[in-house]
Amino acid sequence: MESTEASTIEPTVRSAQQGDESAQRELIVAYQRRVAGFVYAVTGRSDCVEDLCQLVFIKMVRALGGLQAPAQFEAWLFRLARNVCIDHLRRERLRRIFVPFAAEHSEVAEPDGAVDSEELDALRHALSRLRPDERALLALAQEGRSQVEMADITGTSVVVVKARLYRARERLREFYQPKNNHDS
Amino acid sequence: MKDENKAWRMLEQKAADQLRGDFAGRVLRAGRGPSDAAWSELYEVAGDQLRLGFADRVMRAVRRRVPSLAGQFAFGALVAAACVAAVIVVHRRESSRIEAQNLAQWQSFLADDQVMAYRQ
């Protein structure tokens, strides 16, 4: 995923910060697919993508005024997205304690058509074997975030991010087993 | 010796038959990890989950007024004060009712006592 140039998005961020609704809308349209991809990669579920994206962007609009450095908008937005996803997964884990069969329900396979290729299927399977923080790191790396930004987003040091990212990539490779289309 | 070679070849063949088609391709793909195309496809699938008019829905949700923290706190304090006032009023009423009831009982007891004393 290519990150948008900070200089091109900065004026829009500034306008959005001043309450310009068209600028806020422009930001949502510009980032909605990337945030959706990030949310999908972290949660592993397509059925909660829209709800979580909506939550991310509502938080974005409401908190935009507090953003000190508009140039850091992307990193800030993905920190919001990461926090929303991690909170969601934490709530789901808690819910499973109290709701019978919730675990079984959450493991229902994705509906037909949601998975388009063997490679994507393998990627989803491999991601599902990783921990949420590992998935978030990989998705942030895929988003083109630097290790410094990742450290800032996850609230750790660059050294820790480097080590965790290396381990997450190794584990992803370990679980990534694409099947061949010709296999029976 | 010839038989032994033949046996080895058969063993190799049997083992090789266990490998599914495009074994080398699969090993190489697994070794490389997911390609950028797979990640792009993942993002594509996710992006398609957003229904048409997503941005407008978000903006509508943002415009919907959410009570501020101070407002919620004030409302909570108001409800608590109303509850306390209700408890005090009910307690006072109940106390005066019981007091009146006790006084009436005492008066009746006193009257009975006076009647008995008069008779004696």
Side-chain angles (χ1 to χ4, degrees), chain A residues 1 21 24-25 28-29 32-34 36-38 40-41 46-47 49-50 53-54 57-58 61-62 114 116-117 119-120 123-124 127 138-139 142-143 172-173 176-180 183, chain B residues 20-23 25-27 29-59 61-66:
Chain A
M1 303 316 109
E21 284 200 8
Q24 292 169 350
R25 196 178 176 286
I28 296 170
V29 172
Q32 62 183 39
R33 290 187 80 85
R34 283 172 58 189
F38 179 83
Y40 188 30
S46 59
D47 49 8
V49 166
E50 164 127 5
C53 283
Q54 196 161 343
F57 285 111
I58 289 172
V61 173
R62 288 195 176 141
D116 293 334
S117 75
E119 263 203 285
L120 175 58
L123 174 58
R124 285 184 56 251
L127 283 171
L138 288 170
Q142 203 58 34
E143 264 300 325
L172 184 74
R173 214 169 286 151
Y176 182 72
Q177 296 289 337
K179 291 177 191 140
N180 190 283
D183 292 348
Chain B
R20 287 174 293 143
D22 194 26
F23 171 76
R26 267 183 294 118
V27 169
R29 277 199 298 278
R32 277 194 298 264
S35 64
D36 282 346
W39 277 103
S40 297
E41 204 178 337
L42 184 94
Y43 273 67
E44 245 350 91
V45 169
D48 292 345
Q49 301 303 312
L50 304 178
R51 287 172 294 137
L52 218 63
F54 172 77
D56 295 323
R57 279 196 302 285
V58 172
M59 291 311 292
V62 170
R63 270 185 232 117
R64 235 173 277 144
R65 272 191 60 139
V66 175

Side-chain angles (χ1 to χ4, degrees), chain A:
Chain A
M1 303 316 109
E2 283 172 23
S3 58
T4 314
E5 280 286 321
S7 53
T8 43
I9 206 77
E10 217 178 303
T12 316
V13 175
R14 285 191 194 282
S15 303
Q17 282 186 304
Q18 282 152 15
D20 180 352
E21 284 200 8
S22 67
Q24 292 169 350
R25 196 178 176 286
E26 203 180 313
L27 284 179
I28 296 170
V29 172
Y31 285 95
Q32 62 183 39
R33 290 187 80 85
R34 283 172 58 189
V35 170
F38 179 83
V39 167
Y40 188 30
V42 178
T43 61
R45 300 290 308 181
S46 59
D47 49 8
C48 61
V49 166
E50 164 127 5
D51 286 349
L52 292 181
C53 283
Q54 196 161 343
L55 204 57
V56 171
F57 285 111
I58 289 172
K59 281 179 182 241
M60 178 199 88
V61 173
R62 288 195 176 141
L64 205 52
L67 175 64
Q68 301 293 324
Q72 303 295 314
F73 170 75
E74 272 194 27
W76 176 80
L77 176 65
F78 282 99
R79 178 176 14 199
L80 273 185
R82 176 194 173 269
N83 292 345
V84 165
C85 291
I86 300 284
D87 283 351
H88 167 77
L89 292 172
R90 206 172 285 152
R91 266 199 312 274
E92 282 294 297
R93 211 171 45 233
L94 261 178
R95 204 166 62 89
R96 277 181 210 166
I97 298 171
F98 299 106
V99 181
F101 306 118
E104 284 85 345
H105 291 165
S106 64
E107 277 155 22
V108 172
E110 290 277 310
D112 286 344
V115 179
D116 293 334
S117 75
E118 296 287 354
E119 263 203 285
L120 175 58
D121 198 24
L123 174 58
R124 285 184 56 251
H125 171 75
L127 283 171
S128 72
R129 305 290 298 269
L130 307 185
R131 289 198 313 271
D133 57 326
E134 290 177 323
R135 294 199 291 259
L137 264 188
L138 288 170
L140 284 170
Q142 203 58 34
E143 264 300 325
R145 299 293 101 218
S146 71
Q147 292 182 343
V148 177
E149 284 173 327
M150 281 191 246
D152 185 40
I153 290 170
T154 55
T156 50
S157 67
V158 176
V159 179
V160 172
V161 162
K162 265 185 192 171
R164 284 186 184 164
L165 191 59
Y166 175 78
R167 206 164 46 230
R169 281 187 173 137
E170 283 296 299
R171 275 166 55 77
L172 184 74
R173 214 169 286 151
E174 183 188 333
F175 294 121
Y176 182 72
Q177 296 289 337
K179 291 177 191 140
N180 190 283
N181 289 332
H182 309 297
D183 292 348
S184 52

